[in-house]
Each structure stands twice: as structure tokens, then as C-alpha cells.
Amino acid sequence: MSSPVGPLSRGRILVASLLVVLLIAPYYLDGFWLQLGALAMAAGVAAIGLTLLVGVAGQISLAHAAFVGLGAYGYIVLASEPSDLAWGLGWPPALAAVGGIGLAALGGLVLSPLSGRVNGLYLAVVTIGLVFIWQHVLQEVGGLSGGYVGRSVPELEIFGINLGDTEPWIIAQVPFGAAEKLWWMALLVLVIAYVTARNVVRGRPGIALAMVKESEIGASALGIDVRRGRAGAFFLAALYAGAAGVLVALATQFVTPQGFGFQLSTDYLVMIIIGGLGSVRGAVAGAVFVTALPRVLGQYADQLPFLSAVGEGGIDANVMSVFVYCALLIVVIMFARGGFDRVLGPLVGSPRPRMPAPEPQPVLAEVS
Amino acid sequence: MTEPVLEVEGLTVRFGGVVALDDVSFAVAPGRIHAIIGPNGAGKSTCFNAMTGLYPLAAGSVRMADERLDLLHRRRIIGRGIARTFQNLVLPESLTVADVLRLGRHHRTRAGLLATALRLPRARGERRADDQIVRSVAEILGLEPHLADPVGVLPYGLRKKTEIARALCAEPTVLLLDEPVAGMNDAESHALGECIRECREQYELTVLLVEHDMELVMNLSDHVTVLQSGRVIADASPQQIQQDPVVIAAYLGADAVEMREEAATRG
Amino acid sequence: MDSLLNALASGLSLGALYAVMALGFVVIYRATGVLNFAHGAFLLVGVYVASIVSEKHGYPAGVLAGLLAGAVVAVIAETVFLRHSRTQDHVTLTILTLGLNLLVVTEVSRRIGTETLPLRDPVGNEVVQLGAITMPTVRLIALVVAMVAIAAFLLLFRYTNWGLSMRVSNQDGEVAALMGVRLSVVSWTSWAIGGALAVLSGLFLASFPTPGVTPALADTAFRAFPAAVIGGLGSVGGALVGGVMLGMVEAFAATYEGSLGSWAHNLSGISAWVLLLVVLLLRPQGLFSARQVQRV
């Protein structure tokens, strides 16, 4: 059921304006902001997948970075030309991108029977193991990752339209290179991810998952196949992660193993919590915030008196960012504030129902 | 009696060394409102849970039209036409009432991830059909004004109704209600009782309910089975149950089986 | 044969340390029902404080200060943050500990910087010979201390009121409350013990293989997770067994990975997790947990 308000509601105008702004932004923005934007949007796609898994289906997963990595490295390996130093299959880039996403999704499917056998908290620990094993594989298998040095990312080309720097598009006498094209590509993928995720959350699978999270027994009594539901959630999360991975690879143009490990998984969890667990638009907002903050702070560090430069031992941009979003995370959880979604809700006026703060229930009762 | 719609035979459930249900047998006639009552700890909810596949049976069977329900996986029960509510109410707080009711339609629909994500015609068609059923059930239970509210904000009485409405949306032939009026005052219980009767007429249901509220049971049910300590001590019409000394004693604390045996030796 | 014996000795010592760490982890789990992602933070804070204090006041003072610091941080985490959180479901609380961990580890790492802080333990690089086995003295001491700590814990667990409360609680707050157990006290003392145990194992882990305090130490606390889960989360005995198994597998992997081929390089780093996957595949509930029947 869609929003009860009419087609020209304030919310829709806001969203439409935002989209227009995002569409014409590349005309005005420089390289730093273009890359940041692409990375933020890619993170948004990944965060959407994770909030489906953690927020809607109620599973803790710390392996998300591994699926993002599968997408990224899948694309790179499939699209790179074979060489002595690193694996490559030389596929057409568009196919490689699909292949990378497919690999990630496959990974998600592999994880799902495990989720059927092993209960929630144990599964969380298993996912930690998976991301550490993945990190290990990336670091040790030089052919895959190029070792500590890393490897470069092949340009994307879809149906002969080059999305790299080799053939810039000229629009209104301004050349648009890889950074701009990638911005639009990321925007397109984000919009698709957003709409499809929203449909799933509000539709039959989404409410079924919400029921599974509430009570597996209750869900079974309604005919819901709990195992398949969970498997589907893992699959979907991994699918989105894979797409994000391809985008991340294209945005950074050079990847190293350190970028796809436990730290990244933690970042994604932070994004979805401060965005509001289970909220698709909150996930995007959280992703933008967590991605942008350290980079923006770093960019303007010399103009900000309370920040020192990176590596000097003082509070630099990265450390400050961690403080800020950890503080937000703690506040959101402790005061059950619903994250960014709570703010976005009234703003965009969407039908996401407003929840009262839950009754504070002590974990352990006080008995004297 | 005509062919029973649901038949329980020799149902025995054990938890470790404790025998929760001991050789419980009864039959539910179609179109009836059949109540299971008994003092606390009698095993009423255990009986429900055993019938719907939540507990493994140590012995016995649950039959519906020649099919053994106890051999099925518990998520197949609803597909056979048996929908149930839970005493503890399993309602995801953040969903709207409408969404919760749509959950009842889950087993009747098939749209999967792909169809829903892309809003394919099949998914949209199912959604439209579901919404009609949701609306009509909501109307009967007086939930219509609350369809867009998140379940979490509703008062207890309305949440109970939502739980029941969800079961009705599944279009069952048998409705299992687990303490439907628990926590309600007299007026609310009475209203809900009427509602249940109306639903039975409207949807041609058979209703099996577990209850503590004697007034509701006596007014509402066509047949009553009484449990004590996991055993059936009486199985008759409400009027007969009301006058059965064994039942009365059970509620006052005496052991019904002992009493029966004593009565038998005496007279 | 020599290398086998050495691997065994090494594994036992390492296993004992992991057992101690897993024990702390399980104690916290039994008290609050969360996976304590902040275990690494407790460890790092304790070891860091130990290093700082030992500079001016010697090693023993440093150790005491470190243990105390770890315990205090753990208690603060529980009493200030977890207990007062309005969202109380285990998933969210677990993520809260993750956030706390990130915060604390980031700050402490910043202070440690890129150097390796010394711990100034009196044993240093000495080596001891036990028959055919050659092992660093530190490892032997670690084994002994760990066994003492575990024994002390088990005694507390079995014979004190606290232990009784712990055994009863097992995250079923209602049962415990009905029995008049002061759950708030059980709660913070459990976290204090958990934190102290984390620091205890951390102090030895910081002495070998590479001596000194680096931010990477916080990551070793993650080994507590598979150790506890392998044994069956919530089982004290399971944590001990899991820890020892982990230590053994890791020590053997470290000893023999060189001869297994290039793919096995640094296998010991992830041996813990591989072991976890194997065990859970065979026995999804862990080695010592019973499958539970859900009651509605």
C-alpha cells in the first residue's frame, strides 16, 4: 500500500528535487566530491542489503565486507587481462560486473544452509570467522588480490559505452570522464537497490521475515518456511553487497586487501544502526554519513583547529569520525531513537509508521 | 455425530520425565465451537501446541479427514486449513495491523523475492486480492480504523483481535484460539464472544478454543472437553459439564480420577 | 618428534590462555546474554595500563593496575551502557558492545601509536628445558598462571554464592529473580571478572610470540569467540575445552604450516575459525550444549 498522501506531497517533491540535484551535480563537482559521492552511494547499496538482513530478518552478520569484496574482486579477476602476477579471465567488463555480483550472491546462498542449522548468535560468530578467513585468503593469495600491493581495476564498458576515462562524454561542451560517469552509474544502481528493497520490505517476503524475527514458531504456524526465508535474506544481502563491491572497485580504481575486512563490516553495521535498523532510507543516510565524515574531515583537516594530521598521534580525521559515529551509535541504541530514519520520516512524510519508544525493560530484574 | 473434522486420539506428550498429556482423546464436530478447559497446569495449551506440531508426540495421533497431522512439519498445518492464535500474541511490533493481517495470507500466495522486488503483475495481483480479504476481516472484527497503525501502539484488546484476524485471513476451516479473552474485562469478553460466533457463521468455521473464562465457555461453546493433569476427565455439553461433580471437584482441587474411581466402587 | 612435543607444549600453554579468555567471555554471556565484542577493548586497556604503570612502578604493580583497569572498563560498559539501554534485545546489545569496542580500541590505539610499548616482564626471552621440550619460560609461566586462574574460578563458581547465582542465572533472569538472587550484583561482578580474565590472558599474549603492546592485541581477543562457541556458548567447561582445542590447533598449524605448502602460509592465523566451522558443521550446538526445546 502506498502513501496515503497525494502524488504531489511534500515528501515526493523533496525526493524528486534531491534526484534532480544528484543528476546535475557532476557538472559542478570536482574529483574529490565525485569519488566521495560514488563511494557513499556504493556504501548505501551495501547498507541496504545489510539492513534487510539484520534489521528485517534479525540476523547478525559480520561477513558483509566479504560479500562486498567478492563482488569487487570477482569483477576485477573476471575483467582483467591474464598476466603472470595476477589472475584474470579477460571477460568483457559488463559481463564481469554481472559475474562479480553473481559470485557474491552465490556466496550468500552458500551461507544460508548454515544459517538454517546454526542459531543466531552462533551464526554471528561464524560470520566473523568468514570475514577473517576471507581477509586471510585475500592477503595470502597474490594472484587474487595482488598481495599487499593491491591491484588495479579494469574500466567498465557496457554495450560498447565506455565508462572509464578513455572516451569522455561531451555534454554542453564539458567533458565528463570516469568520475562523472561512475557517479551516474552509482546513482542508478542505488535507486534500483532502494526501490527493490523497499518493495521487498513492504511486500510479502518482508513481512514474512519480520514475523520470523519475532517468532519462528509463530512464523511456522503461518506457513512461513523459516529456513528459506533466512536463506533468501542472506542471498539478497549478498547480492546488494556484490553490486556495491563492483561500484567500490570502480570508484577507487585500485584495491588492496585491507579495504575489505572486519573493519568494513563493522562500518556497515554502524551505518545501519545510526540510520535506523530495518529502514532502507535510513541505511542510505547512515551510509552517506559514515562514508563522508572521515573523508570530508580529512580534506578540511588543516582548516579545522581541533584536528591534527593523520599519523601525528593526535586526534585526526579518522579518529574523530570514529568518535562521532560511535557516539551516535551508542545514543541511538541506548535511547532507542530510531536513528536517521526518525528524522527523515517527518521530513519526507512517508508511510513508515512511527513507533513509540519501547517500554524500558530491565534485562535482569532487581530483587533485594 | 457426523464425521468429526478433527480427531485427537491417545495424545501423549512428555517433557523429560514429566507427562504433560496422558492419552488425551476427543473429537471436534464440524461447525461447532468446542472448548478445552481445565484447572491451571492441566495441559490445555500443551494440547494445542501438540496438535499443531510444536511438540513431538510420545504417542497418539491427530487426524483431519483421514490425514495424520502429527506426521506433518508444523508449517504445513496451516495449509490443511488449521489456523491458530497464540496466548502470548506473536505480533511484530513494527508492522501495521494491515501487514499483520496480510501475514495470514502468506500460505495462500506465492510471490517470491524477485516478483516482489520488481513488483511484477503476479505480486501486484496477489496483493490486491489479499487487501480485499484483509479489509473484510478487519471490518468484521472492528479493526478497520486501525489498519494503518503499527501494532505496537494498540491497546491489548485490539492486539488480541489482530491476532485472531490474522488467523481468519488464512481462510481456515478450523480456528484454534488460545485463551482469546485472557486479560479482558467482562464487556470485552462478551463482545469478543459474540464476534467469534459471528465469525463462525460468516466463515463456516469450526472453532476450538482453550479458555479459563467459564462464563464465556458456557455461553459460547457447543461442546466442552475438560482436562486435569494432562488427562481428559470429562467430554460433554456445557450443561452436563457444569453439573458434573468430578469437574467441579477438579476445579476445587481434588483429583478427578480418584473421585471417579471412588464413585464407581461406592455405587 | 621434538617438534611434536614442542608443539604440544606450546599448544597447551596457548590453549590455557585462550581458555582463560573464553572463560571471561562466557561469564559475560551468562550474565547478560550478549556476545561481548568489547572483550578486545578490555584486553587492550588492561595491557596498556599495565605497560604505563610498570614503567614507573615495576611489573607487579603494572599487572595489578592492568587487571583492575580491565575490570573497571568492563564494569562501566555494563552498568553505564548496557544496563540502561532502552533497547534490550540481544542483537542490538551485541552491536552496542561492538560500538564500545571500536570507540575504546580507537582511542587506545591512538595513544599507543606505531611503537610497541614494552611490558617489562622480568622473564623476557629466557628459555626453559623440560626433558625433550624447549619452551620460552614465559609460556610455562603462562600455563601455570592460567591453570591457577581457572582453578580459582571453578572454586568460586562451585562454592560461593556468586557462583551459585551465576549457575542459576544462565540468562534466565526470571528464574533467578524468583530465587531472590541479586541480579544486578551478579551482572557487574561477572563483567568485572570477564574483563580481568581478558587482561590476564592478554598480558601473556603480549609477552609472546612478539613481546610488547600493539593495537593488534585487541584482535586476539576475538579468538575467545570461536573457543566459547566450540564448547557450546554458555558452558563453562565448554569454554575451557574450546580454548585448549583452539590453542592446540593453532600451535600445530604454526609448527607445521611451513611444510604444508605455500597455501598454508600463516594458516595459524585463521586456524581458530576453520576449527569453528568444522565443529559447528558436525555439531551445530557446540560440543557441550544441549539442543533446547522451545516452549510457547
Side-chain angles (χ1 to χ4, degrees):
Chain A
M1 300 208 91
S2 52
S3 166
V5 278
L8 280 179
S9 69
R10 179 189 61 180
R12 296 206 176 192
I13 296 178
L14 272 173
V15 170
S17 326
L18 181 64
L19 277 175
V20 169
V21 166
L22 288 174
L23 268 171
I24 59 178
Y27 191 78
Y28 300 100
L29 297 176
D30 69 30
F32 167 76
W33 291 99
L34 286 172
Q35 190 191 46
L36 176 59
L39 281 172
M41 291 191 270
V45 173
I48 288 175
L50 193 61
T51 211
L52 280 177
L53 184 61
V54 181
V56 179
Q59 306 291 304
I60 310 182
S61 169
L62 275 130
H64 212 56
F67 294 118
V68 174
L70 265 177
Y73 281 97
Y75 169 69
I76 295 170
V77 168
L78 289 173
S80 298
E81 292 305 320
S83 83
D84 287 333
L85 291 172
W87 301 345
L89 284 175
W91 284 16
L95 206 59
V98 172
I101 300 176
L103 267 172
L106 209 68
L109 271 184
V110 163
L111 188 56
S112 59
L114 209 59
S115 83
R117 273 172 72 84
V118 167
N119 97 6
L121 288 179
Y122 283 30
L123 190 63
V125 179
V126 167
T127 61
I128 303 175
L130 288 175
V131 74
F132 278 136
I133 291 176
W134 164 254
Q135 259 181 301
H136 175 90
V137 166
L138 272 186
Q139 277 162 355
E140 297 301 323
V141 183
L144 172 62
S145 64
Y148 280 107
V149 178
R151 59 187 296 183
S152 64
V153 178
E155 284 184 345
L156 181 61
E157 205 178 274
I158 304 181
F159 304 126
I161 307 173
N162 178 275
L163 283 150
D165 272 323
T166 17
E167 296 167 20
W169 298 340
I170 315 285
I171 305 176
Q173 293 167 346
V174 174
F176 284 80
E180 287 86 357
K181 298 179 201 171
L182 188 60
W183 171 287
W184 284 319
M185 175 98 227
L187 185 59
L188 179 66
V189 174
L190 181 62
V191 167
I192 293 175
Y194 187 89
V195 171
T196 50
R198 266 293 196 69
N199 289 340
V200 167
V201 170
R202 302 236 189 108
R204 183 176 177 264
I207 56 180
L209 284 174
M211 189 65 207
V212 168
K213 179 184 178 190
E214 176 69 28
S215 161
E216 290 189 20
I217 287 183
S220 296
L222 289 163
I224 296 171
D225 187 338
V226 171
R227 282 194 192 186
R228 271 190 77 188
R230 275 213 225 112
F234 273 102
F235 170 78
L236 210 58
L239 186 71
Y240 285 119
V246 174
L247 287 174
V248 166
L250 290 169
T252 51
Q253 293 186 320
F254 195 88
V255 292
T256 58
Q258 289 82 332
F260 295 97
F262 187 78
Q263 182 61 45
L264 186 65
S265 277
T266 309
D267 283 349
Y268 288 135
L269 276 177
V270 171
M271 289 175 202
I272 66 173
I273 292 279
I274 66 180
L277 202 57
S279 156
V280 175
R281 68 176 169 225
V284 176
V288 171
F289 184 78
V290 170
T291 310
L293 189 64
R295 290 179 175 82
V296 170
L297 285 181
Q299 183 83 340
Y300 297 105
D302 28 337
Q303 293 157 35
L304 294 166
F306 52 86
L307 286 182
S308 63
V310 177
E312 253 176 40
I315 299 182
D316 62 29
N318 292 327
V319 172
M320 176 59 93
S321 306
V322 169
F323 286 172
V324 170
Y325 55 71
C326 281
L328 274 177
L329 178 107
I330 291 169
V331 164
V332 166
I333 290 180
M334 284 189 62
F335 299 100
R337 277 280 160 260
F340 288 146
D341 182 65
R342 262 297 198 82
V343 171
L344 292 173
L347 207 62
V348 181
S350 157
R352 181 170 178 82
R354 239 165 300 120
M355 281 299 300
E359 287 275 305
Q361 272 160 21
V363 172
L364 307 168
E366 246 337 324
V367 178
S368 38
Chain B
M1 183 173 59
T2 47
E3 194 67 37
V5 63
L6 204 56
E7 237 184 310
V8 170
E9 256 184 80
L11 210 62
T12 307
V13 174
R14 292 201 196 100
F15 295 121
V18 176
V19 181
L21 289 178
D22 191 358
D23 198 28
V24 168
S25 302
F26 58 88
V28 183
R32 298 292 187 86
I33 297 182
H34 186 131
I36 302 180
I37 65 174
N40 274 324
K44 309 185 289 295
S45 279
T46 310
C47 187
F48 252 28
N49 292 338
M51 287 170 70
T52 49
L54 264 54
Y55 302 145
L57 302 184
S61 67
V62 180
R63 271 200 178 76
M64 185 176 188
D66 284 341
E67 189 181 11
R68 293 249 332 237
L69 294 180
D70 53 294
L71 296 177
L72 298 174
H73 189 283
R74 62 191 185 208
R75 74 179 144 83
R76 304 233 181 263
I77 301 285
I78 196 169
R80 298 299 188 272
I82 300 182
R84 70 165 291 177
T85 63
F86 287 88
Q87 189 182 345
N88 297 332
L89 300 191
V90 283
L91 298 168
E93 301 275 301
S94 56
L95 292 185
T96 60
V97 171
D99 278 339
V100 170
L101 264 52
R102 283 190 198 106
L103 275 173
R105 304 295 310 151
H106 183 100
H107 78 110
R108 295 259 179 187
T109 50
R110 304 220 20 224
L113 280 178
L114 191 66
T116 317
L118 301 177
R119 295 193 72 195
L120 297 181
R122 198 239 309 258
R124 281 183 289 155
E126 281 182 349
R127 179 82 158 197
R128 265 189 301 253
D130 284 351
D131 283 354
Q132 283 199 320
I133 296 181
V134 162
R135 236 180 249 286
S136 64
V137 170
E139 240 177 290
I140 292 213
L141 283 166
L143 288 169
E144 246 236 296
H146 302 284
L147 280 174
D149 296 339
V151 161
V153 305
L154 293 181
Y156 184 69
L158 285 178
R159 299 169 96 190
K160 283 230 96 148
K161 281 191 169 181
T162 307
E163 178 96 355
I164 296 175
R166 177 177 63 193
L168 285 173
C169 285
E171 293 179 299
T173 40
V174 181
L175 184 64
L176 264 52
L177 299 175
D178 196 349
E179 302 208 24
V181 300
M184 288 184 175
N185 62 35
D186 283 346
E188 288 174 325
S189 308
H190 191 73
L192 189 63
E194 279 311 305
C195 200
I196 294 174
R197 200 174 291 178
E198 231 187 280
C199 290
R200 191 258 302 260
E201 301 303 322
Q202 176 94 358
Y203 296 110
E204 291 169 6
L205 295 175
T206 306
V207 179
L208 183 62
L209 58 101
V210 157
E211 242 321 317
H212 276 293
D213 185 336
M214 278 310 125
E215 206 186 306
L216 181 86
V217 169
M218 293 308 154
N219 285 334
L220 195 59
S221 29
D222 304 314
H223 194 88
V224 178
T225 303
V226 187
L227 294 180
Q228 188 201 28
S229 303
R231 297 202 191 97
V232 175
I233 60 172
D235 186 25
S237 75
Q239 294 75 19
Q240 291 166 315
I241 296 292
Q242 261 178 325
Q243 289 155 0
D244 189 337
V246 173
V247 173
I248 298 171
Y251 271 92
L252 292 175
D255 189 284
V257 176
E258 257 182 53
M259 284 203 62
R260 266 233 169 75
E261 285 168 352
E262 247 177 67
T265 47
R266 248 190 269 123
Chain C
M1 190 53 188
D2 268 359
S3 64
L4 178 66
L5 283 176
N6 278 324
L8 264 170
S10 182
L12 208 58
S13 168
L14 195 60
L17 288 179
Y18 284 154
V20 167
M21 201 155 54
L23 202 57
F25 186 76
V26 166
V27 165
I28 288 176
Y29 177 74
R30 283 178 80 119
T32 318
V34 295
L35 290 179
N36 179 30
F37 275 89
H39 221 54
F42 303 159
L43 191 155
L44 195 62
V45 166
V47 175
Y48 174 71
V49 167
S51 172
I52 302 273
V53 171
S54 68
E55 188 178 346
K56 296 239 181 69
H57 305 281
Y59 187 66
V63 167
L64 245 75
L67 287 171
L68 199 63
V72 165
V73 173
V75 170
I76 293 176
E78 198 273 325
T79 52
V80 173
F81 293 96
L82 268 77
R83 197 183 295 197
H84 297 292
S85 167
R86 289 186 94 182
T87 336
Q88 281 290 333
D89 74 283
H90 297 317
V91 170
T92 321
L93 283 183
T94 297
I95 299 181
L96 181 59
T97 63
L98 188 63
L100 289 170
N101 187 60
L102 189 55
L103 193 62
V104 172
V105 169
T106 303
E107 175 57 15
V108 178
S109 301
R110 181 179 74 83
R111 286 171 189 262
I112 295 176
T114 44
E115 322 163 0
T116 305
L117 297 182
L119 260 183
R120 299 180 193 85
D121 63 272
V123 175
N125 285 329
E126 284 170 37
V127 161
V128 76
Q129 195 96 13
L130 296 169
I133 304 176
T134 314
M135 71 191 291
T137 320
V138 168
R139 293 193 178 186
L140 184 61
I141 299 180
L143 179 58
V144 171
V145 170
M147 286 186 354
V148 168
I150 292 171
F153 176 85
L154 289 174
L155 284 173
L156 274 177
F157 199 63
R158 278 223 69 194
Y159 297 112
T160 62
N161 281 332
W162 173 85
L164 180 64
S165 320
M166 259 269 91
R167 279 182 283 141
V168 159
S169 298
N170 205 11
Q171 333 140 54
D172 194 342
E174 267 184 63
V175 173
L178 284 171
M179 294 175 75
V181 173
R182 284 222 75 188
L183 289 170
S184 59
V185 174
V186 171
S187 204
W188 71 256
T189 51
S190 304
W191 280 73
I193 290 179
L197 287 174
V199 175
L200 183 65
S201 55
L203 285 169
F204 285 105
L205 286 168
S207 305
F208 73 84
T210 33
V213 180
T214 64
L217 262 178
D219 287 342
T220 55
F222 279 122
R223 307 280 166 85
F225 288 55
V229 169
I230 286 172
L233 203 57
S235 159
V236 164
L240 298 178
V241 170
V244 172
M245 278 180 73
L246 218 75
M248 284 293 190
V249 167
E250 200 172 297
F252 272 83
T255 310
Y256 293 110
E257 67 192 15
S259 35
L260 280 172
S262 62
W263 63 269
H265 176 245
N266 206 19
L267 188 63
S268 54
I270 52 160
S271 55
W273 303 102
V274 175
L275 178 66
L276 173 76
L277 287 178
V278 168
V279 170
L280 285 185
L281 240 68
L282 297 172
R283 207 178 138 86
Q285 64 268 42
L287 293 175
F288 295 105
S289 260
R291 269 236 148 102
Q292 285 176 320
V293 175
Q294 278 184 293
R295 304 204 61 167
V296 218

